[in-house]
Amino acid sequence: AMAGSGWARAVRGLLLDVSGVLYDSGADGGVPIAGSAEAVRRIKASGLKLQLCTNETQATRESFVRKLRAMGFDISVAEVTAPAPAACRLLKERGLRPHLLVHDGLVPEFAEVDTTNPNCVVLGDAAENFTYGNLNEAFRLLIGMEKPVLISLGKGRYYKETDGLKLDVGAYMKALEYACDVQAEVVGKPAKRFFESALAELGVPPEQAIMIGDDIVNDVGGAQQCGMRALQVRTGKYRPSDENHPEVKPDAYVNNLAEAVDIILQQL
């Protein structure tokens, strides 16, 4: 086995971040990261369990999976843990009626949810829908509530597309938090409950699972707080400064998913 690969022992399941690990998104649909589709095939052939744990909120899981399959990834909807379905469960449990500030592509995920006379705001990665007018409308609703409820589908700062870095939902979440003096509730990574539901779908306890992601805080830090091992790939939005992060130290750095899978499969 490779030196310093003790982190790879006694693994039964892998949680994979998607954007920046499997592919880089882009206006054209995006491009797979070299070796990642083959790595997914090798994970499945090895008998390890696999779950994608993504903060993707620009598309329904169905259309997201269609896109991944078209890129050569052998993935089913059941293998995707994403924030919108988790948010729908939370809204129903609490009798909340959301005003949605989300990407047009995500709206069908909320088809079963009552959105009349909203008593909360749900924020996703709305991309081009993050206009001043739309943010101001969400702001006015929140500031007018006796007890404002802001639910954010993730809190990432930015992500990488093929043409460069893009502002993510977290930046807009902070703007609304600041303007309304409210604390958002995050559904998605790094929320512990979200990782726990991904592990439950994986059917593996945290100490037998490894999370692989490109986001030092939301992927690596979030997973480690749940008792998982976590690797950072040097793909996606990874930047060399991540390796000096003051709080989060990954169990290992790997150049890409394919390298991580090589090391893990050698330990089986």
Side-chain angles (χ1 to χ4, degrees):
M2 292 172 72
S5 58
W7 55 264
R9 290 192 171 83
V11 184
R12 285 180 47 223
L14 299 180
L15 287 185
L16 304 183
D17 173 42
V18 180
S19 178
V21 174
L22 298 188
Y23 81 112
D24 282 319
S25 58
D28 49 358
V31 293
I33 291 168
S36 55
E38 179 60 22
V40 168
R41 272 197 293 281
R42 292 174 63 208
I43 292 165
K44 291 196 163 185
S46 74
L48 286 174
K49 294 183 165 185
L50 174 71
Q51 190 75 16
L52 305 187
C53 188
T54 178
N55 272 10
E56 166 66 43
T57 59
Q58 286 197 10
T60 63
R61 279 173 305 164
E62 284 73 17
S63 65
F64 184 52
V65 165
R66 263 200 308 281
K67 181 170 83 171
L68 288 175
R69 293 185 72 87
M71 286 186 203
F73 293 100
D74 174 22
I75 293 296
S76 68
V77 171
E79 291 170 316
V80 178
T81 303
C88 289
R89 283 197 297 275
L90 180 133
L91 293 166
K92 283 187 172 159
E93 278 166 25
R94 287 168 48 186
L96 290 170
R97 301 180 305 279
H99 168 76
L100 299 172
L101 177 41
V102 299
H103 196 282
D104 293 342
L106 193 69
V107 172
E109 288 274 19
F110 294 90
E112 307 292 300
V113 174
D114 181 8
T115 54
T116 57
N117 188 21
N119 57 5
C120 73
V121 167
V122 169
L123 195 63
D125 177 15
E128 307 302 322
N129 283 351
F130 278 135
T131 61
Y132 178 78
N134 286 347
L135 277 164
N136 202 51
E137 186 185 5
F139 158 73
R140 284 177 170 173
L141 276 165
L142 285 168
I143 203 89
M145 291 173 191
E146 201 179 321
K147 288 206 179 99
V149 176
L150 173 60
I151 294 165
S152 187
L153 307 180
K155 65 174 205 186
R157 292 173 176 175
Y158 54 86
Y159 53 92
K160 183 170 179 261
E161 289 207 330
T162 47
D163 65 346
L165 299 178
K166 299 284 167 100
L167 271 179
D168 200 357
V169 62
Y172 299 95
M173 176 191 96
K174 287 290 182 191
L176 289 172
E177 281 187 334
Y178 179 63
C180 302
D181 197 20
V182 61
Q183 187 94 47
E185 300 175 45
V186 177
V187 177
K189 299 175 294 190
K192 198 165 183 185
R193 195 172 154 185
F194 188 67
F195 277 111
E196 284 167 352
S197 70
L199 282 167
E201 289 171 50
L202 196 61
V204 166
E207 59 279 3
Q208 295 180 347
I210 293 179
M211 172 77 198
I212 303 175
D214 69 330
D215 186 317
I216 184 83
V217 173
N218 293 305
D219 294 332
V220 176
Q224 287 177 335
Q225 283 176 340
C226 285
M228 272 184 267
R229 286 161 278 176
L231 310 184
Q232 188 174 22
V233 288
R234 295 188 179 102
T235 55
K237 66 174 164 192
Y238 161 84
R239 297 194 302 174
S241 61
D242 293 345
E243 305 206 20
N244 307 313
H245 195 278
E247 279 109 48
V248 185
K249 299 276 173 272
D251 290 83
Y253 292 94
V254 288
N255 286 322
N256 48 45
L257 177 63
E259 183 181 85
V261 171
D262 277 343
I263 299 169
I264 290 164
L265 296 187
Q266 281 173 21
Q267 297 278 342
L268 285 185

